[in-house]
Amino acid sequence: MAAISSARTLYQKIYTSHVVGKLNPSTDLLYVDRHLIHEVTSPQAFSGLKLARRSVRRPDLTFATMDHNVSTQRRSMDAAGETSRKQLEALAENCAENHIPLLDLTHPDQGIVHVIGPEQGLTQPGMIIVCGDSHTSTHGAFGALAFGIGTSEVEHVLATQTLPQQQAKTLKIEINGELSAHVTPKDVIMAVIGKLGTAGGNGYVAEFCGSAIRAMSMEGRMTLCNMSIEMGAKAGLIAPDDTTFSYIKGKAHAPKAEHWDSAVQYWQSLHSDIEAVFDQTVTLDASTITPQITWGTNPEQVMAVDQSVPAPDSFNDASKRDAAERALAYMGLAPGQKLTDCKVDVVFIGSCTNSRIEDLRAAATVVQGKQVAAGVRALVVPGSGMVKRQAEAEGLASIFKAAGFEWREPGCSMCLGMNDDRVAAGQRCASTSNRNFEGRQGRGARTHLVSPAMAAAAAIAGKFVNIAATGNVPGDQA
Amino acid sequence: MSKIFAQGLVCPLDKNNVDTDQIIPKQFLTSVSREGFGQAMFFDWRYLADGRPNPDFVINKPEYSGASILLTRANFGCGSSREHAPWAIQQSGFNVIIAESFADIFFNNSVNNAMLLIQLSKTNIELLFNRCAQGPQHWQIDLQSQEIMFGNNAAMGFNIDADIKQRLLSGLDFIGSSEQLKPQIADYEQSRKASQPWLG
Ligand code: SF4
């Protein structure tokens, strides 16, 4: 590698190494190493391409899956209804026509796009990865610059394998110290969002660093980067290390043996230089983070589970006060209320935030030998076929089933309820997903975002539980 | 090309953090077409549970019927990357959105659909809402001079990225302009293959 004249951040290194050319003084054309597509945001891109008589430039760098709109009850194209079937068929046709590899519903490894990318070894350090989905930020856990794009951009990438971009600002989020036993990466990112706000990261690429991040597994890092979009950041990034390399090694699309050493050598250069200057820096002490839960209708409306629901008056900013008032009305909550006194109707363990094997282990540890409370509907939706098989082999599936959980096929499911997995109006849901927006899980649905262990505990107790106050230690976070 | 990018009635949507799940709920994302999203815009706010229009929702008020400029507050368009959100807004007749700030992906998606998104300071947004409180407003947007014109020679300036301004004024094909760099793309692919053969 050529010597660098000045210190750069990880983001700047990846950005500059992908510049194909300049479109104008402030816009660069960047090369895209991986383009992941799914059924919901791609059909209009393919029809646009056809209309303009363009073809897919690099089908070999494009990968497709079916996830958003699939039934998680049974594996059939029409199981989630007629319009869903049409969309799934359109994806299958577009992939066949353009020779794009597709993990369709019959494929044993099918799953949520952000779960399967890493599992298949498609996600690697230093890459630029895009997908027509905002949680593409997940892949930043590997030190890849990964971000969500819209359908016009999907069409642009299909046609050119590039994307026009301008340099973003850089935000360093340093988290040092050790997490307490019951605190998970989900709690960490929710605490960060609570601190920065849903728009705090707008215009920035956030790099997470510090000893607490180094100690996290790849699953935990993915949870963290997954939700960086919830503070508005363009992408989340974590410099790759030995944890990253050993996760990738041996995966289907990982660099082959003859290239492995040079790949790792390159990956080791992917970190922010010591003198690199960030536009903004935020520091957190891991030991101060406690189990988190959202009380409102956006991810920044979050608190420690043992706190009381805030009064709108407690916010100095008029718009936040107003937002809190509307949120409490929608959520059916009163200021001062404890969520640990609040009954839960539905529990959803799944989504690209928390449907990996480690998440299911954490939940199963809490569930083992217990029963889902009467009147609670609880489901576990593994993120992919691989996760599902592993959970079955480890006996986690039987723990969930014995406790009264529904054990489903992989997909996005109740994270956004495009299929038939919905939360009814007025029902309260403990969800391991990433968005508590009004109506996200169904019209009138009341979503509380929590970690897998907290969701599991809520299913058993029939109300929210402070996991730190129970004897349960969630599954191994190492 | 006329110097007026847009003109029309302003609809004030007095909310922060309007997310794309609100702009276009998931049940409308199953379409494979780019058309037909207009009626679904703000579905859960716009229609009552029984399907009738919600008379209290600002967009349904008769005085805002036919509006083409949407005025709103901070962090508009946060959440999902669905381009169905700008499609729905555009197909409902809006081609300009004025806000204190926008979420990144929503901003790009809108520009890629030739919509003009104007970002103003909190103070200026407040001033615009105050104007709307006085009765329905008709404004003109001059993109060349970067001004919102209220009539009677009153105007408010705005900033816009030079490239975006150029794209909107010239109506350049998004993909076509990048395709002019095809030789560079091919060069990049070659050197990428040489230095990082594992990437394919
Ligand atoms: S699980 Fe939810 S957030 Fe993740 S890709 Fe699917 S719908 Fe989007």
Side-chain angles (χ1 to χ4, degrees):
Chain A
M1 291 222 56
I4 41 167
S5 53
S6 63
R8 294 179 302 166
T9 65
L10 172 56
Y11 166 67
Q12 287 154 350
K13 288 183 186 179
I14 302 177
Y15 186 100
T16 31
S17 68
H18 285 80
V19 175
V20 166
K22 269 206 169 310
L23 286 169
N24 55 51
S26 60
T27 311
D28 301 301
L29 194 63
L30 299 190
Y31 199 78
V32 171
D33 299 299
R34 288 279 187 262
H35 186 196
L36 307 174
I37 60 174
H38 62 84
E39 74 276 21
V40 177
T41 55
S42 68
Q44 296 89 348
F46 281 106
S47 32
L49 209 64
K50 232 184 205 169
L51 208 68
R53 296 175 185 281
R54 290 184 169 115
S55 56
V56 179
R57 183 179 178 92
R58 294 295 301 264
D60 58 322
L61 303 183
T62 314
F63 293 85
T65 189
M66 298 175 167
D67 56 359
H68 281 66
N69 205 355
V70 303
S71 166
T72 60
Q73 313 252 24
R74 55 193 176 87
R75 297 284 82 162
S76 162
M77 300 272 272
D78 58 3
E82 176 62 15
T83 51
S84 307
R85 181 183 61 77
K86 276 202 187 123
Q87 208 170 46
L88 296 170
E89 279 175 2
L91 181 68
E93 273 165 33
N94 288 327
C95 289
E97 217 166 280
N98 296 285
H99 311 287
I100 294 169
L102 164 70
L103 297 191
D104 69 7
L105 282 181
T106 62
H107 196 287
D109 293 348
Q110 171 272 343
I112 306 173
V113 62
H114 311 308
V115 176
I116 65 168
E119 278 179 354
Q120 299 296 320
L122 294 169
T123 305
Q124 297 170 20
M127 284 181 163
I128 287 188
I129 302 176
V130 298
C131 172
D133 187 280
S134 57
H135 292 98
T136 308
S137 59
T138 312
H139 308 263
F142 291 78
L145 176 59
F147 52 91
I149 57 178
T151 298
S152 298
E153 291 170 316
V154 169
E155 186 179 333
H156 189 289
V157 179
L158 288 173
T160 65
Q161 201 57 32
T162 63
L163 204 58
Q165 289 289 300
Q166 302 188 337
Q167 280 226 25
K169 290 180 285 183
T170 52
L171 165 65
K172 176 174 167 178
I173 302 178
E174 186 167 354
I175 309 174
N176 287 310
E178 236 175 274
L179 293 177
S180 314
H182 301 277
V183 179
T184 69
K186 178 69 164 284
D187 301 299
V188 174
I189 187 64
M190 294 215 294
V192 170
I193 296 167
K195 195 177 158 106
L196 290 172
T198 49
N202 275 3
Y204 289 92
V205 165
E207 180 176 343
F208 297 93
C209 60
S211 58
I213 309 297
R214 288 288 135 233
M216 274 182 203
S217 66
M218 286 318 295
E219 284 84 353
R221 294 178 191 183
M222 284 188 252
T223 302
L224 206 66
C225 288
N226 173 277
M227 282 190 76
S228 50
I229 182 71
E230 304 310 332
M231 55 186 186
K234 179 172 184 72
L237 264 181
I238 295 175
D241 58 12
D242 289 341
T243 308
T244 322
F245 310 148
S246 44
Y247 178 99
I248 297 171
K249 197 161 190 175
K251 297 272 188 292
H253 292 267
K256 298 282 167 281
E258 66 269 28
H259 296 310
W260 178 256
D261 289 344
S262 29
V264 171
Q265 200 186 356
Y266 170 61
W267 294 345
Q268 280 164 337
S269 73
L270 296 170
H271 52 77
S272 290
D273 298 325
I274 297 171
E275 282 99 41
V277 182
F278 288 80
D279 294 299
Q280 201 192 324
T281 301
V282 175
T283 332
L284 257 87
D285 175 356
S287 66
T288 62
I289 302 172
T290 52
Q292 303 282 302
I293 184 167
T294 58
W295 52 267
T297 53
N298 71 49
E300 84 175 47
Q301 292 175 326
V302 66
M303 64 181 188
V305 64
D306 56 352
Q307 284 180 332
S308 309
V309 173
D313 290 347
S314 66
F315 296 92
N316 293 326
D317 182 283
S319 62
K320 288 205 191 301
R321 200 156 53 228
D322 183 44
E325 216 156 86
R326 292 178 202 223
L328 292 187
Y330 179 87
M331 295 296 289
L333 294 170
Q337 208 172 334
K338 288 254 187 225
L339 287 181
T340 44
D341 296 330
C342 243
K343 220 179 116 318
V344 168
D345 305 294
V346 182
V347 172
F348 169 59
I349 298 176
S351 89
C352 58
T353 312
N354 281 131
S355 64
R356 297 181 181 82
I357 191 67
E358 187 177 273
D359 303 313
L360 303 194
R361 283 183 197 139
T365 309
V366 175
V367 168
Q368 181 142 41
K370 305 200 178 77
Q371 284 298 313
V372 171
V376 174
R377 176 179 177 218
L379 55 157
V380 183
V381 186
S384 70
M386 276 195 181
V387 172
K388 184 169 189 249
R389 286 196 298 280
Q390 191 174 348
E392 284 167 353
E394 290 182 15
L396 309 180
S398 346
I399 293 176
F400 289 122
K401 286 192 269 189
F405 277 86
E406 296 172 42
W407 177 248
R408 294 291 189 83
E409 299 291 340
C412 293
S413 179
M414 209 180 259
C415 171
L416 92 164
M418 264 193 82
N419 63 5
D420 35 11
D421 301 328
R422 304 237 172 112
V423 178
Q427 284 196 327
R428 209 171 282 291
C429 178
S431 178
T432 66
S433 55
N434 43 48
R435 286 193 176 132
N436 52 338
F437 296 154
E438 279 184 29
R440 170 85 178 177
Q441 295 190 294
R443 190 173 187 159
R446 294 167 172 168
T447 304
H448 294 273
L449 303 178
V450 288
S451 72
M454 290 259 288
I460 303 303
K463 61 187 184 73
F464 292 105
V465 172
N466 178 3
I467 190 84
T470 69
N472 278 315
V473 178
D476 187 14
Q477 294 299 319
Chain B
M1 170 130 238
S2 125
K3 65 190 207 115
I4 301 301
F5 179 85
Q7 55 189 334
L9 179 64
V10 185
C11 178
L13 178 66
D14 194 357
K15 279 180 192 279
N16 285 293
N17 295 316
V18 172
D19 60 75
T20 52
D21 281 81
Q22 295 312 325
I23 300 172
I24 180 96
K26 61 213 150 223
Q27 64 269 32
F28 302 104
L29 305 186
T30 53
S31 167
V32 293
S33 143
R34 260 179 197 261
E35 304 299 326
F37 297 105
Q39 285 310 307
M41 177 182 72
F42 294 122
F43 190 84
D44 287 356
W45 289 341
R46 199 159 153 201
Y47 303 101
L48 299 168
D50 63 9
R52 282 179 305 128
N54 173 5
D56 295 331
F57 185 52
V58 64
I59 284 180
N60 290 336
K61 297 200 168 159
E63 63 266 38
Y64 297 120
S65 144
S68 60
I69 298 172
L70 187 65
L71 173 66
T72 180
R73 295 201 183 258
N75 201 25
F76 188 81
C78 60
S80 139
S81 64
R82 57 188 74 159
E83 197 162 310
H84 312 68
W87 293 338
I89 295 175
Q90 192 169 47
Q91 288 160 23
S92 301
F94 295 94
N95 62 348
V96 177
I97 312 177
I98 306 173
E100 189 187 326
S101 59
F102 296 94
D104 286 346
I105 306 179
F106 177 84
F107 186 91
N108 291 336
N109 286 344
S110 302
V111 172
N112 290 339
N113 284 280
M115 291 165 74
L116 172 61
L117 269 53
I118 299 176
Q119 194 170 342
L120 294 171
S121 69
K122 194 171 181 153
T123 322
N124 280 346
I125 290 290
E126 203 56 56
L127 288 173
L128 296 185
F129 271 100
N130 288 342
R131 275 186 181 270
C132 288
Q134 289 157 17
Q137 300 282 310
H138 282 267
W139 297 342
Q140 292 192 329
I141 317 282
D142 187 329
L143 181 53
Q144 194 61 54
S145 68
Q146 301 181 199
E147 278 177 310
I148 304 170
M149 301 187 298
F150 308 118
N152 297 330
N153 288 328
M156 182 186 280
F158 60 88
N159 290 322
I160 185 166
D161 181 281
D163 307 334
I164 292 174
K165 178 175 176 177
Q166 190 50 39
R167 270 178 63 189
L168 288 175
L169 286 175
S170 64
L172 219 60
D173 172 14
F174 178 45
I175 299 178
S177 54
S178 299
E179 277 178 338
Q180 291 169 358
L181 295 190
K182 259 185 176 169
Q184 285 96 318
I185 299 177
D187 287 351
Y188 184 91
E189 281 175 333
Q190 266 194 339
S191 66
R192 176 179 178 272
K193 205 174 174 78
S195 65
Q196 297 176 58
W198 60 87
L199 289 179

